[in-house]
Amino acid sequence: MSNAATYSVPFWINGEEYTPEKQYDVISPVTGKAIHRSGAASDADVKKAVEAADKAFKTWKTTLPKERRDVFMRAAEIFERRKEELGDYMMMETGAPRQWADFNLGVAKDFCLDISGRIRTLEGTIPTTADPDTGAMIIKEPFGVILAIAPWNAPYILGIRSVLFPIAAGNTAILKGSEACPRTMWGLCSVFHEAGLPAGVLNMIVHSPQDAPRITANLIAEPAVKKINFTGSTVVGRIIGRLAGEQLKPVLLELGGKAPAIVWEDADLDNAAFQCALGAFLNSGQICMSTERILVHKNIKPEFEKKFVAAIDQIFGSAPDAPILINSAAVTKNKALVRDALAKGGKLLYGDVDAVEKSDTRMKPMVINNGNTDMELYQTESFGPSVTLYEIETEEEALRMANDTEYGLTSAVFTEDLRRGLRFAKEIETGAVHINSMTVHDESALPHGGAKASGYGRFNTATGMGEWVRTKTITYKF
């Protein structure tokens, strides 16, 4: 591909690449300059994508499980073969390091392999009815056209799960990719078309940033669109939920988080420090599952602080430059939250809020000590490389602080007493609790989703497959 800003990323509509007349510049957070252009969807493009998906659904829903399986198995091979190319797109558009891009692609490949073995698990039942002369069957059938909306921060993981499970269940899909990484989303869809997915089963469009509200609303309002999934911020998730509710359409939402990690006095502190550092600063904290609150027992807090600083240095300290965030606004937000925390009694345990970096999209990890409930950081999702330490003394206090948030996506507990860990796990109001490992954990073998304002519904596993079929009752007389 050409790196010139004159190159324009096309859409995928009805199995073909399509470059619309309207376009916008895609700005790299690495250079701050336009790296290429992308098509920007119009109202007419929305219609084209929906019509293509609706037409393809008529035949795709009748395909045999082995036909779908073979496509996904080939896709897994292609993800491996094109790993470097696809990773380059993600690194260029989002500023991700190579390790994060490779991890994304490894998970994408694993999703393809996992779903290949799950396709046949969708089953109905034959119940016994009240009338002996009446038979019945309960079947599972696909909805139709699915609208999938995926973000930029883990585009291959979040993009593939948004469309793979619906398609595997017999639906067709429109992927509304992030305007920040259209080439990455194009690359994801190109894998499935290369693998032999029939025309119209997977379509992809993006819009310019200013057109987001109109294009999204139009897609949701299209009669052929039967269900929506969205991964992103809680603010936008509320809008998606409202728009879908107005159309009486079901929606799966995986939204923001404020993940707590409880470090109890009997914890393996080396492991806790290492896992909390990874959980807080992986991908510069730009993960919905990132550790944002670390609740440390007062008896071991001084020792944990030393080990935590050492772990951050071990993992991230050797990098010559500060990590890259998606844009300068993310850096501005995080530094403002840190300054507010310092003004309200916090102390910097790690980092320098006044550091001048190579560009305004770079920021090194920052750790605020002596956190309290008056700080904006206590409730606000930073979605960046900042984390706060709080002191706790009792299980009741730890649970109160862990649950004192509108979010409920994921959490972690560090203790050598499994009974205590399970006791915490049952009371923490999150979709997942990880005992003795970091808050960031998503894999094909585990259901993924949140509680409270972190959304509802589940991706992955048989539960995730079940999201994309509806139940139909059929009765008949003997």
Side-chain angles (χ1 to χ4, degrees), residues 71 79 165 183 268 369:
V71 170
F79 271 118
F165 283 85
R183 184 65 171 173
D268 177 337
N369 205 358

Side-chain angles (χ1 to χ4, degrees), residues 300-310 349 369-370 389:
I300 47 89
K301 189 166 180 285
E303 185 180 358
F304 175 81
E305 291 168 6
K306 295 175 186 176
K307 291 181 180 292
F308 188 46
V309 168
L349 181 66
N369 205 358
N370 303 335
L389 271 59

Side-chain angles (χ1 to χ4, degrees), residues 261-389:
I262 298 172
V263 183
W264 202 247
E265 61 180 330
D266 66 343
D268 177 337
L269 294 187
D270 289 319
N271 177 61
F274 188 85
Q275 295 293 325
C276 285
L278 271 180
F281 301 121
L282 190 64
N283 196 35
S284 300
Q286 298 173 120
I287 305 173
C288 52
M289 298 173 282
S290 291
T291 306
E292 297 237 350
R293 294 177 179 175
I294 304 178
L295 315 177
V296 189
H297 196 284
K298 66 177 296 184
N299 290 348
I300 47 89
K301 189 166 180 285
E303 185 180 358
F304 175 81
E305 291 168 6
K306 295 175 186 176
K307 291 181 180 292
F308 188 46
V309 168
I312 299 171
D313 277 332
Q314 176 189 346
I315 302 169
F316 305 102
S318 62
D321 299 315
I324 298 170
L325 276 67
I326 189 63
N327 53 41
S328 60
V331 174
T332 300
K333 173 188 174 181
N334 272 265
K335 288 192 172 183
L337 288 169
V338 170
R339 288 192 173 100
D340 173 80
L342 297 178
K344 293 174 179 175
K347 302 292 181 183
L348 266 179
L349 181 66
Y350 191 95
D352 179 4
V353 72
D354 296 315
V356 178
E357 308 296 350
K358 284 178 62 176
S359 73
D360 60 2
T361 59
R362 293 179 180 270
M363 178 178 166
K364 289 185 177 179
M366 294 192 196
V367 180
I368 299 90
N369 205 358
N370 303 335
N372 62 64
T373 58
D374 294 330
M375 299 171 177
E376 285 186 52
L377 259 174
Y378 183 71
Q379 294 290 359
T380 302
E381 180 186 23
S382 69
F383 209 70
S386 55
V387 69
T388 310
L389 271 59

Side-chain angles (χ1 to χ4, degrees), residues 2 12-13 19 94 160 177 189 221 232 236 250 300 316 340 427 451 453 458:
S2 169
W12 284 104
I13 295 182
T19 303
T94 71
I160 195 170
C189 294
V236 178
I300 47 89
F316 305 102
D340 173 80
E427 296 299 327
R458 292 293 182 268

Side-chain angles (χ1 to χ4, degrees), residues 85-398:
E85 170 210 348
L86 296 169
D88 285 346
Y89 299 152
M90 180 176 164
M91 292 168 66
M92 179 171 46
E93 291 187 319
T94 71
R98 173 64 69 180
Q99 299 95 316
W100 182 239
D102 286 349
F103 177 77
N104 262 252
L105 289 160
V107 173
K109 174 186 174 182
D110 183 62
F111 269 126
C112 290
L113 295 173
D114 179 89
I115 203 68
S116 297
R118 293 188 188 275
I119 294 174
R120 293 183 182 274
T121 63
L122 288 173
E123 297 177 335
T125 58
I126 301 178
T128 301
T129 64
D131 181 356
D133 293 325
T134 299
M137 62 177 68
I138 313 300
I139 65 171
K140 303 288 186 180
E141 63 178 14
F143 284 88
V145 179
I146 303 300
L147 171 61
I149 308 175
W152 55 266
N153 58 315
Y156 289 117
I157 297 174
L158 305 181
I160 195 170
R161 75 176 190 187
S162 73
V163 297
L164 187 62
F165 283 85
I167 289 172
N171 302 279
T172 56
I174 300 168
L175 173 60
K176 189 179 83 68
S178 168
E179 61 268 29
C181 58
R183 184 65 171 173
T184 306
M185 296 297 189
W186 172 92
L188 186 156
C189 294
S190 74
V191 168
F192 288 98
H193 287 97
E194 184 180 341
L197 193 69
V201 175
L202 175 58
N203 307 274
M204 184 213 84
I205 63 173
V206 295
H207 50 62
S208 62
Q210 60 267 31
D211 288 341
R214 189 187 80 255
I215 296 299
T216 304
N218 287 352
L219 280 164
I220 293 172
E222 280 288 333
V225 172
K226 303 301 184 186
K227 187 171 181 177
I228 302 101
N229 72 67
F230 170 79
T231 300
S233 72
T234 294
V235 171
V236 178
R238 294 184 196 277
I239 297 171
I240 300 295
R242 175 177 56 78
L243 292 171
E246 289 172 354
Q247 303 294 331
L248 292 179
K249 294 181 180 181
V251 60
L252 190 165
L253 299 173
E254 198 257 83
L255 308 176
K258 190 70 180 171
I262 298 172
V263 183
W264 202 247
E265 61 180 330
D266 66 343
D268 177 337
L269 294 187
D270 289 319
N271 177 61
F274 188 85
Q275 295 293 325
C276 285
L278 271 180
F281 301 121
L282 190 64
N283 196 35
S284 300
Q286 298 173 120
I287 305 173
C288 52
M289 298 173 282
S290 291
T291 306
E292 297 237 350
R293 294 177 179 175
I294 304 178
L295 315 177
V296 189
H297 196 284
K298 66 177 296 184
N299 290 348
I300 47 89
K301 189 166 180 285
E303 185 180 358
F304 175 81
E305 291 168 6
K306 295 175 186 176
K307 291 181 180 292
F308 188 46
V309 168
I312 299 171
D313 277 332
Q314 176 189 346
I315 302 169
F316 305 102
S318 62
D321 299 315
I324 298 170
L325 276 67
I326 189 63
N327 53 41
S328 60
V331 174
T332 300
K333 173 188 174 181
N334 272 265
K335 288 192 172 183
L337 288 169
V338 170
R339 288 192 173 100
D340 173 80
L342 297 178
K344 293 174 179 175
K347 302 292 181 183
L348 266 179
L349 181 66
Y350 191 95
D352 179 4
V353 72
D354 296 315
V356 178
E357 308 296 350
K358 284 178 62 176
S359 73
D360 60 2
T361 59
R362 293 179 180 270
M363 178 178 166
K364 289 185 177 179
M366 294 192 196
V367 180
I368 299 90
N369 205 358
N370 303 335
N372 62 64
T373 58
D374 294 330
M375 299 171 177
E376 285 186 52
L377 259 174
Y378 183 71
Q379 294 290 359
T380 302
E381 180 186 23
S382 69
F383 209 70
S386 55
V387 69
T388 310
L389 271 59
Y390 301 85
E391 183 177 286
I392 54 170
E393 191 170 3
T394 66
E395 291 187 22
E396 292 75 19
E397 183 182 20

